[in-house]
Amino acid sequence: MPSLFWDCWPSLEIRALLCAMGCIQSIGGKARVFREGITVTDVKASIDPIPTSIDESSSVVLRYRTPHFRASAQVVMPPIPKKETWIVGWIQACSHMEFYNQYGEQGMSSWELPDLQEGKIEAISDSDGVNYPWYGNTTETCTIVGPTRRDSKFIISMNDNFYPSVTWAVPVSESNVAKLTNIYRDQSFTTWLVATNTSTNDMIILQTLHWRMQLSIEVNPNRPLGQRARLREPIAQDQPKILSKNEPIPPSALGKPNANDAQVLMWRPKYGQPLVVIPPKHR
């Protein structure tokens, strides 16, 4: 991994726009020193100040793309005198999910996380499904292999958004007639910046963030394709919160399954028994 500072933002123009609108939550002026002498500065978190975009180009599915959540932090790792490896990176978990697609009076489809919904776990890993417990392994992590003689300076960054497809027709029907009338989504996440000693499994929480994505789309299936969907409030998302006091990471946020593998798509008719449309990849 690079040892020099590198910028996580897609462009200077976007960063300037976010600063001008007061959307970047930052504790840039407050350097925090943790165990092992690890220093964290310039923590930033934001959700792009743009509305969710809606794509009706397909006659089979409606697609939408939410604005990106972005987080970054500058980290200084002091010299490592021993032959050991440290990984610094972002870990994310979903703590709440409501995701409903209403089909008029017929019922609704629902993406669900059963263990989370039933209160069996506090949060579920939002790892990429490969590099547990990390959110990813490119800009999201940095690996420092000791021994080192000087400080290692780097920026850790990540971004996240939703880009799903929702069928116009009832998902358990053989009909292709559009019946979709509403999409509702409300998800909450906790994101941690963490340093881990892979030799000792010692884990140091450096920063904790909270963020939420809310979405409501009203659909008139009787209108022509391209004119059916309308974004409702909230148009702009609440900005993330950088916590002054770190929170512990639940064990369920550190290992399998991740949210994508654990979710199940249900069909819940207005009358009759619920049906599993897509079972979870991991039970």
Side-chain angles (χ1 to χ4, degrees), residues 97-101 103 108-113 117 171 264-268 277:
M97 184 173 84
E98 296 177 76
F99 186 179
Y100 308 122
N101 307 308
Y103 292 85
M108 68 178 186
S109 64
S110 175
W111 283 103
E112 301 173 8
L113 295 167
Q117 187 172 333
V264 55
L265 180 62
M266 298 294 299
W267 169 249
R268 298 190 177 278
V277 181

Side-chain angles (χ1 to χ4, degrees), residues 119-224:
K120 295 180 179 178
I121 56 175
E122 184 180 345
I124 188 166
S125 169
D126 198 31
S127 164
D128 61 3
V130 177
N131 301 284
Y132 288 97
W134 310 107
Y135 183 75
N137 71 339
T138 53
T139 65
E140 300 88 358
T141 61
C142 184
T143 302
I144 308 97
V145 180
T148 58
R149 295 183 177 182
R150 61 185 65 183
D151 289 351
S152 301
K153 300 179 180 180
F154 46 89
I155 290 180
I156 300 295
S157 67
M158 65 165 286
N159 69 83
D160 191 11
N161 80 322
F162 309 143
Y163 186 36
S165 300
V166 182
T167 58
W168 292 111
V170 173
V172 296
S173 170
E174 296 183 359
S175 171
N176 293 323
V177 177
K179 295 293 182 180
L180 181 66
T181 54
N182 189 71
I183 297 172
Y184 175 81
R185 189 165 186 169
D186 185 356
Q187 282 185 254
S188 297
F189 298 88
T190 303
T191 309
W192 296 269
L193 180 66
V194 174
T196 298
N197 184 325
T198 62
S199 303
T200 64
N201 291 323
D202 189 23
M203 180 176 287
I204 304 171
I205 300 175
L206 306 174
Q207 189 64 63
T208 308
L209 313 175
H210 284 173
W211 65 281
R212 180 184 184 186
M213 190 73 73
Q214 296 174 279
L215 174 79
S216 180
I217 297 175
E218 183 180 13
V219 182
N220 183 342
N222 298 318
R223 294 185 63 85

